[in-house]
Amino acid sequence: MFDERLWLAWLVKVRILILTFLLGIELAISRLAPTPLPLRLFINAILLWYTISVFYVLLLSFWQEYRIQAVLQVLTDLALVTLVVYATGGVDSSLNFLYPLVIIVACILLPRVWAYLMAALAFILYVAVLEATYFGLIPSYSTTHPELKALQAIIFVNLFGYLAVSYLAGLLANKLRQVDVKLKDTSGALENLQALHENIIQSITGGLITTAMDGHITLVNTAAQKLLERSEADLLDQPVSRLFLDPLPQVDHEPAHGEVRLIAPTGYRKTFRVLVSALAIPERGTLGYVYTFDDLTEIRRLEREVRMQDRLAAVGRLAAAIAHEIRNPLTSIAGSVSMLSGIPDLGDEHRQLLQIVTRESERLNSIITDFLAYSRGRQYKFAKVDLLPLLEDTLTLLEHRSAAQNSGIKVKRKYGVREAWTSADGDKLKQVFWNFCENAVRAMPTGGTLTVSLESSGEDWQLNFADTGPGMSSQLIEKVFEPFQSQFEGGTGLGLAIVYQIVQAHEGKVFARSKVGQGSVFVLRLRQFASHQTLAKPQAVPAQAQSPALETISAAVVGGARG
C-alpha cells in the first residue's frame, strides 16, 4: 500500500528545489569573494544533475518498476553528491550534509537493509574522496591540509553520523509507512461507512429531507425526489416550507407529525404524512431538522371511495324505498291536475296555479326518474370498442346543440392517437361522455371552450374534459361524485354519481382537477385492450334494493341524468 510513485515524484521536486538553492548560493559566494574552487566543474555537475532529474520525471510516466527507479535515483544522487563535494573542496566542503539527505531518502523509498547499504556506500564514497585528495591521487581543491589523525577523526565522525542517520531515519520511515497504511485503512473504512450510510439513505422507500436551521434543504434522497417529482438540483438549498401547501409540523410542538398537501409539477394534488425530528450531534447540538414522509394519496383516495360507496349504497336504498311511495301519488296528482285544467270556467289565475303544479310535478317526476336510473340494476354488454368514434358522436351532438342554442361553446379536440381500443359498453360510455360535456356547458353559461383530449398513459387511455368555467374549490372536488352535490340550478346531483358507477363497472378511474377561477378538468382512465385480453361477458350490476313496484315503472326511466 506504500505509494512509491508519489514519493518518487516528490523526490524529483525536492531535488530540483535543493539544486536551484545550492546553485544560487555558490554563484552568489563566487561573486562576493574570490575562491579557488572550480566553478565550471560545479556548474556542470549541477546541470548534469538537472538533466538526470528531468530524465527521471519522463521515466516515471511510462515505466512502472518504481522500486528499481528508486534504487537508480538514490545511486545517482550519491554519485553526484560525491562529485559536488569534491568540486567544493572535499574535506573543506560545506555540502557534505547532502549525504545524510540521500540516506534519509533511501530509508523512505527502500527497505531497511537497502537503506543501510546506501549509508555504507555514502560513507565509502565520501572516504574515497578524502583519501584520494589527501594522498594526491586526484587534484585537491581544499584550502586546508589536515593531519592524518584529524582526517581519521573526520572519517569516524562521519561514519557514526551516517550510521545514526540511517538507523533513526529507518525507524522514522517505518513508522511513517505504518501510519500511512493505517491512514489509508482508516480512510477506506470511513469511505465504506459513508457509502453504506448513503446507500441506506438512498435505498429506503420513504422520502427523507434534511435541512439546516434556516429551513433550507441540504440533503434529499432518491425516494423523496420521486415522491415530489422534482430533481435534486431543484430541491437543494430551497426552503422546505415552500414545497407544500400546508404548514409543516414543528419539532418543538406536539405532535411532531402531520399531513400536508402538495401540487406536483404534473398538476396532481398529493397528500403526504410528514414526521419531523431534530438533527442533533452530541458535541455540537442541533444542526438542523430531518423530515421523513410517505405518500398517502392513494390511501386517502381509497378512503374517499369507500365513503362514497357507502353513501351511494344508502342513496340506492333510499331511492328504492321512496320511488313506489312517491311515483303513484304523483301520477294521481298529475292526472287530477290535467282534468282540472280542462274545466272551461277556470280563471287565468287558477290556470297559472295549475301550470305551476304541472311543472313542479314534471320536475319531481324527473328527480324520481334519476333515482330509478341510479338505483336500478344495469346490464353491461362489453365489447371491443374504439373510444374515438364514441367520443366523436358525443362531441358532434354537443356542437349541433350548441349551434342551435347559440350558447357560444367551442369544442377543441386533442387526440394523441388514431385508435383507442378498449373493452367497454359503448352506450354506457357515451352516457359518461355526455354527462361530462353537459356539466362543462352548464359551467360556462356565457360561453367558453371545452377541450377534449385522448392520449395513452401507461397501460390506460386517459381522456380529459377541460372547461374554462369558474372552477371548483378543493372541498367540492372531494365530493363532486357523491349524490346530491350539484352546483347547478335545477340539477339533481345524480349525474356524476351515475358516471362514477359506470366507470367503476368498467374497472376504470375518474377524478376531477380544478382551481377556483381556472376552470375544471374531469379525467377518465380506461384500460387499453391488449391482444391477449378476453372480452368480459355481459353482466348486470345489481341495485342496492329494488321493490316490485320499481320494476313495473322501470320502463319509464330515461338514460340522460342531470348533473
Side-chain angles (χ1 to χ4, degrees):
M1 296 180 64
F2 184 71
D3 195 347
E4 292 177 331
R5 187 183 188 281
L6 180 63
W7 280 98
L8 287 173
W10 170 83
L11 174 60
V12 172
K13 297 176 182 177
V14 172
R15 182 188 296 117
I16 293 176
L17 181 63
I18 293 176
L19 291 178
T20 304
F21 176 76
L22 293 179
L23 181 61
I25 292 295
E26 290 298 330
L27 291 177
I29 292 175
S30 65
R31 287 184 174 274
L32 294 176
T35 176
L37 299 179
L39 188 59
R40 182 178 298 274
L41 177 61
F42 175 78
I43 294 176
N44 290 335
I46 295 297
L47 293 179
L48 177 62
W49 213 341
Y50 270 126
T51 304
I52 295 176
S53 298
V54 173
F55 169 75
Y56 282 139
V57 171
L58 299 177
L59 187 65
L60 190 62
S61 62
F62 62 86
W63 194 25
Q64 305 299 323
E65 296 293 337
Y66 301 126
R67 177 61 57 83
I68 298 177
Q69 290 189 54
V71 173
L72 289 176
Q73 291 198 34
V74 171
L75 291 175
T76 304
D77 286 341
L78 287 177
L80 292 175
V81 166
T82 302
L83 179 60
V84 170
V85 169
Y86 169 70
T88 55
V91 69
D92 294 334
S93 176
S94 60
L95 300 182
N96 59 349
F97 71 90
L98 294 176
Y99 283 114
L101 292 182
V102 176
I103 294 172
I104 293 174
V105 170
C107 292
I108 295 175
L109 294 177
L110 301 174
R112 181 172 295 184
V113 175
W114 278 89
Y116 289 150
L117 290 176
M118 293 301 169
L121 181 59
F123 174 74
I124 292 172
L125 291 175
Y126 183 63
V127 171
V129 170
L130 296 185
E131 295 286 348
T133 56
Y134 182 82
F135 293 107
L137 299 178
I138 56 177
S140 176
Y141 300 106
S142 62
T143 58
T144 62
H145 298 280
E147 296 181 355
L148 182 60
K149 291 184 178 180
L151 181 63
Q152 292 175 349
I154 294 173
I155 292 174
F156 282 111
V157 168
N158 281 275
L159 173 62
F160 176 77
Y162 293 170
L163 291 177
V165 168
S166 62
Y167 176 74
L168 296 176
L171 290 178
L172 293 176
N174 188 40
K175 294 293 183 181
L176 179 63
R177 289 191 183 95
Q178 293 178 359
V179 170
D180 187 47
V181 171
K182 290 181 180 179
L183 178 61
K184 290 184 178 181
D185 287 340
T186 306
S187 299
L190 180 60
E191 290 178 359
N192 292 336
L193 184 60
Q194 290 176 341
L196 176 62
H197 288 173
E198 183 176 354
N199 290 333
I200 292 174
I201 291 174
Q202 299 298 333
S203 299
I204 59 177
T205 57
L208 184 142
I209 290 177
T210 63
T211 68
M213 295 297 294
D214 58 359
H216 286 72
I217 297 175
T218 57
L219 182 144
V220 53
N221 69 343
T222 304
Q225 298 174 41
K226 292 181 179 179
L227 292 174
L228 300 176
E229 300 182 18
R230 297 177 65 180
S231 65
E232 184 178 13
D234 294 336
L235 294 172
L236 290 179
D237 296 327
Q238 299 296 321
V240 68
S241 58
R242 294 183 182 178
L243 298 178
F244 306 100
L245 300 177
D246 305 306
L248 289 167
Q250 301 296 322
V251 70
D252 53 350
H253 293 79
E254 291 293 339
H257 60 83
E259 291 188 12
V260 295
R261 294 169 298 167
L262 167 78
I263 300 296
T266 55
Y268 292 99
R269 187 188 300 267
K270 291 186 173 183
T271 302
F272 296 106
R273 176 177 55 193
V274 179
L275 291 86
V276 58
S277 57
L279 178 59
I281 298 178
E283 296 81 4
R284 302 174 60 185
T286 301
L287 300 181
Y289 302 99
V290 179
Y291 295 88
T292 56
F293 56 94
D294 51 356
D295 193 354
L296 299 181
T297 305
E298 188 66 18
I299 296 176
R300 295 295 178 257
R301 185 186 66 81
L302 293 175
E303 290 177 351
R304 289 194 298 269
E305 287 189 0
V306 170
R307 290 195 299 268
M308 188 181 301
Q309 291 288 355
D310 292 340
R311 295 177 183 177
L312 295 179
V315 172
R317 292 190 296 268
L318 175 64
I322 67 175
H324 178 67
E325 301 298 332
I326 296 180
R327 199 67 179 274
N328 289 340
L330 185 62
T331 303
S332 301
I333 293 173
S336 300
V337 171
S338 178
M339 293 180 62
L340 289 175
S341 61
I343 298 176
D345 296 338
L346 289 178
D348 294 338
E349 183 178 355
H350 292 162
R351 291 187 182 278
Q352 185 177 1
L353 293 175
L354 290 177
Q355 289 176 358
I356 293 174
V357 173
T358 302
R359 185 169 61 252
E360 294 301 319
S361 298
E362 292 175 353
R363 190 168 74 87
L364 184 57
N365 182 69
S366 175
I367 296 174
I368 297 301
T369 300
D370 285 345
F371 278 166
L372 296 175
Y374 172 75
S375 61
R376 68 188 294 264
R378 290 181 178 83
Q379 185 75 22
Y380 290 86
K381 297 180 180 180
F382 289 93
K384 181 182 178 182
V385 297
D386 189 357
L387 295 176
L388 284 175
L390 302 179
L391 195 57
E392 275 298 315
D393 291 346
T394 305
L395 297 181
T396 302
L397 179 61
L398 177 65
E399 287 176 328
H400 286 305
R401 193 189 75 170
S402 298
Q405 297 178 352
N406 194 22
S407 59
I409 301 297
K410 297 181 180 179
V411 179
K412 288 186 178 180
R413 298 168 174 82
K414 293 183 178 180
Y415 300 151
V417 293
R418 295 184 177 181
E419 294 180 340
W421 296 97
T422 186
S423 176
D425 187 328
D427 293 336
K428 295 298 189 295
L429 287 186
K430 283 186 178 181
Q431 184 178 353
V432 172
F433 298 160
W434 182 255
N435 268 279
F436 287 149
C437 294
E438 182 70 15
N439 276 276
V441 170
R442 291 188 177 186
M444 300 180 290
T446 60
T449 302
L450 171 63
T451 303
V452 181
S453 62
L454 173 60
E455 59 187 2
S456 176
S457 178
E459 298 181 354
D460 298 334
W461 298 116
Q462 179 168 313
L463 296 92
N464 297 328
F465 294 79
D467 61 59
T468 57
M472 297 181 290
S473 63
S474 57
Q475 293 80 7
L476 183 58
I477 291 177
E478 294 181 357
K479 301 179 180 180
V480 69
F481 293 103
E482 295 180 5
F484 312 116
Q485 298 296 329
S486 176
Q487 58 177 337
F488 305 117
E489 183 178 356
T492 62
L494 289 173
L496 292 179
I498 295 174
V499 165
Y500 184 82
Q501 279 188 337
I502 295 174
V503 173
Q504 289 293 309
H506 284 76
E507 297 182 352
K509 295 181 181 179
V510 60
F511 54 91
R513 299 199 306 263
S514 180
K515 288 185 178 180
V516 177
Q518 299 183 15
S520 303
V521 181
F522 284 87
V523 181
L524 172 63
R525 287 186 177 179
L526 298 171
R527 292 183 180 177
Q528 297 182 11
F529 187 87
S531 58
H532 61 275
Q533 184 177 351
T534 57
L535 295 175
K537 296 181 180 180
Q539 57 176 319
V541 178
Q544 286 79 358
Q546 290 191 359
S547 63
L550 196 64
E551 293 293 335
T552 61
I553 61 175
S554 60
V557 176
V558 296
R562 295 169 176 80

